[in-house]
């Protein structure tokens, strides 16, 4: 075949291919696109051809194994040597010198807890370290009622509420709390800490938004962490900042799918002791369309005319709070916790709140104790009045008369949080660790003089973030808990002992 024949054959092949290609649907469009692309931008055609060839090569490339052993094979002796050298990390960090010293000196009470408690050493001391606000731990009426309940119902239900653990006394206590607060319904939990940490994730899920005060307690933080919701913080008790954060969230979510949004705060803050402006929070929640979860662990049974909590104290309609969470273990001298609200809110928790669904129900005698104390608060206003008088007496001994500490608690709070004054911390350049050492020495000094108080112990730092990122960190503090079990003179003496202990330690550490 000469060159002319070869050329003729090639032309015939190209023509045949062209004819066959034109029979393919869409071929004319493709040809017009190529011609136009080449005329307008030949570089683009070259790039597209390169990408096409690369794709063809990639699809036709042979498969390769990802299980090829590319590591160095070790001998048995080398493996044994590496195993011998390996040291696992400890499960927990070693105790610090401060923690070891604190554990060695921890007082142990023998017998019942009361305003006067006997220690393992045999000494009897004034106890201002417990939440026995109304001196009910040794109340004979409550003890007799608890004994009767124990004989009737036994020591415990031995089952979760949803699995044959619910007893009639549980339903009565829920009805009593609901009536006391003025809500439609109520649900009780077997443990106070797990109440709020279960309520939050029962309603707020991934993708939902929680706006929370930076100073909320550790139980709330755990609940928010479990919920996996988006957390937005606002400065502690700063209503202007809260409004700014709410407005920012509403603006950010304006063009996004609708999500559930919550404000979470406390009535009386566990870590600081001050009180939230609930009236303003309710106003903002309505303005920006947020739901409100209020933790009244430390305010229920303490604030208000009948101890109904912050809503009664500040005159807020209970219906303006979606979920009101409280404790039965503090002022009510029982155990467990509760969440009050609408019937829909309560019934949802019976299936969705992990602590309610998977924990054994509250022992019957604790439920009856809570009901009995609620009845006392409703009928005996003298209990609340006596406690408030003792709070005023202790305040007069400590806050205005000490040059070293001041109280951050609300005047109505029976738990006095005493922190070193800012000028004292600044002048002596005290770190957090330095403050903890000083406060513990004050606790030890007071105990040596017959008064048992304690320090504020909590875990307030934000979820998976540093204190710098949160912008707020707990300041070490002393904690003094008042009780009606002490007379006015005993409270004055106790306050004097605490004040002198603080002064003695601070003067002895002038060169700290």
């Amino acid at each position: 075949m000469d060159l002319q024949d070869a050329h003729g054959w090639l032309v015939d092949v190209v023509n045949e291919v062209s004819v066959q290609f034109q029979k393919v649907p869409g071929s004319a469009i493709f040809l017009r696109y190529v011609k136009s692309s080449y005329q307008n931008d030949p570089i683009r055609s070259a790039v597209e051809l390169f990408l096409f060839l690369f794709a063809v090569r990639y699809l036709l490339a042979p498969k390769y194994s990802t299980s090829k052993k590319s590591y160095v094979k070790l001998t048995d002796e080398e493996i044994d040597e590496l195993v011998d050298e390996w040291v696992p990390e400890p499960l927990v960090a070693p105790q610090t010198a401060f923690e070891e010293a604190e554990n060695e000196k921890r007082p142990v009470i023998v017998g019942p807890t009361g305003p006067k408690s006997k220690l393992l050493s045999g000494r009897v001391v004034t106890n201002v370290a417990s939440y026995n606000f109304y001196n009910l731990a040794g109340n004979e009426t409550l003890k007799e009622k608890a004994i009767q309940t124990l004989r009737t119902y036994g020591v415990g239900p031995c089952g979760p509420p949803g699995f044959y653990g619910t007893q009639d006394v549980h339903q009565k206590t829920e009805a009593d709390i609901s009536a006391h607060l003025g809500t439609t319904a109520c649900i009780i939990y077997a443990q106070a800490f797990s109440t709020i940490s279960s309520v939050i994730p029962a309603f707020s899920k991934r993708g939902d938004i929680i706006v929370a005060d930076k100073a909320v307690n550790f139980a709330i933080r755990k609940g928010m962490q479990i919920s996996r919701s988006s957390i937005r913080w606002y400065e502690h008790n700063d209503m202007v900042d809260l409004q700014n954060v709410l407005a920012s969230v509403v603006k950010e979510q304006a063009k996004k799918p609708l999500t559930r949004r919550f404000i979470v705060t406390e009535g009386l803050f566990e870590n600081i002791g001050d009180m939230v402006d609930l009236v303003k929070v309710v106003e903002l929640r309505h303005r920006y369309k947020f739901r409100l979860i209020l933790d009244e662990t430390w305010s229920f049974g303490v604030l208000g005319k009948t101890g109904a909590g912050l809503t009664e104290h500040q005159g807020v309609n209970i219906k303006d709070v979606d979920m009101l969470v409280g404790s039965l273990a503090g002022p009510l001298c029982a155990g467990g916790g509760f969440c009050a609200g609408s019937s829909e809110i309560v019934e949802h928790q019976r299936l969705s709140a992990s602590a309610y669904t998977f924990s054994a129900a509250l022992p019957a005698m604790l439920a009856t104790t809570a009901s009995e104390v609620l009845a006392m608060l409703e009928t005996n206003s003298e209990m609340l009045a006596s406690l408030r008088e003792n709070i005023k007496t202790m305040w007069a001994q400590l806050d205005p008369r000490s040059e070293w500490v001041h109280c951050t608690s609300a005047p109505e709070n029976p738990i006095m949080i005493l922190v070193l004054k800012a000028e004292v911390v600044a002048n002596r350049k005290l770190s957090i660790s330095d403050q903890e050492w000083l406060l513990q020495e004050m606790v030890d000094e007071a105990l040596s003089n017959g008064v048992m108080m304690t320090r504020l112990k909590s875990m307030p730092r934000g979820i998976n973030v540093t204190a710098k990122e949160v912008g707020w960190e707990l300041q070490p503090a002393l904690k003094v808990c008042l009780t009606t079990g002490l007379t006015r003179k005993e409270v004055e003496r106790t306050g004097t002992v605490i004040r002198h202990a603080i002064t003695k330690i601070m003067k002895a550490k002038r060169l700290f």
Side-chain angles (χ1 to χ4, degrees), residues 127-195:
N127 186 352
V128 287
S130 73
Y131 306 130
N132 187 24
F133 301 141
Y134 299 113
N135 193 28
L136 297 175
N139 183 279
E140 292 300 326
T141 302
L142 293 179
K143 287 164 66 175
E144 183 59 34
K145 183 69 175 180
I147 291 172
Q148 293 176 3
T149 306
L150 181 64
R151 288 172 176 165
T152 303
Y153 293 91
V155 295
C158 299
F163 296 91
Y164 312 106
T166 298
Q167 297 171 301
D168 56 351
V169 289
H170 296 139
Q171 295 177 328
K172 181 181 184 304
T173 301
E174 291 175 347
D176 290 342
I177 297 172
S178 179
H180 188 70
L181 290 170
T183 60
T184 306
C186 176
I187 180 174
I188 61 173
Y189 290 74
Q191 212 246 2
F193 180 93
S194 62
T195 302

Side-chain angles (χ1 to χ4, degrees), residues 46-61:
V47 171
E48 290 180 346
L49 178 62
F50 171 76
L51 293 176
F52 174 76
L53 294 175
F54 176 80
V56 171
R57 181 184 182 282
Y58 179 80
L59 293 174
L60 298 179

Side-chain angles (χ1 to χ4, degrees), residues 194-213:
S194 62
T195 302
I196 186 68
S197 58
S198 292
V199 169
I200 292 175
F203 294 94
S204 186
K205 310 293 183 181
R206 186 192 297 272
D208 296 332
I209 298 173
I210 295 176
V211 176
D213 190 297

Side-chain angles (χ1 to χ4, degrees), residues 402-421:
S402 175
E403 60 179 304
W404 309 105
V405 299
H406 75 96
C407 183
T408 60
S409 298
E412 302 87 351
N413 193 346
I415 302 175
M416 295 183 66
I417 305 297
L418 303 171
V419 301
L420 293 172
K421 292 182 177 180

Side-chain angles (χ1 to χ4, degrees), residues 230-287:
S230 298
I231 312 299
R232 296 289 297 272
W233 302 98
Y234 67 92
E235 296 299 327
H236 172 59
N237 248 350
D238 187 337
M239 296 297 103
V240 174
D241 191 46
L242 171 59
Q243 181 174 349
N244 293 337
V245 173
L246 295 179
S248 175
V249 170
V250 171
K251 184 178 180 180
E252 292 171 2
Q253 299 295 315
K255 297 182 179 180
K256 296 181 180 180
L258 186 63
T259 59
R260 288 166 290 198
R261 305 168 188 173
F262 300 87
I263 299 174
V264 180
T265 187
E266 295 182 74
L268 289 174
F269 286 87
E270 177 182 332
N271 295 319
I272 299 179
D274 55 351
M275 187 186 306
V276 70
D277 184 354
L278 187 59
V279 176
K280 185 64 176 178
V281 172
V282 168
E283 175 194 334
L284 293 175
R285 67 145 295 192
H286 284 307
R287 184 187 305 178

Side-chain angles (χ1 to χ4, degrees), residues 20 25 32 46 69 74 89 91 102 104 110 156 170 235 243 315 337 387 407 447 477:
Q20 295 300 324
R32 285 199 303 271
K69 298 180 180 180
L74 300 177
E89 292 185 1
L91 291 176
E102 183 183 15
E104 290 176 0
V110 177
H170 296 139
E235 296 299 327
Q243 181 174 349
L387 178 61
C407 183
L447 184 61

Side-chain angles (χ1 to χ4, degrees), residues 90-104 106 437:
L91 291 176
V92 295
Q95 284 191 341
T96 63
F98 176 76
E99 291 171 337
E100 291 179 353
E102 183 183 15
N103 288 334
E104 290 176 0
R106 179 174 288 118
W437 273 105

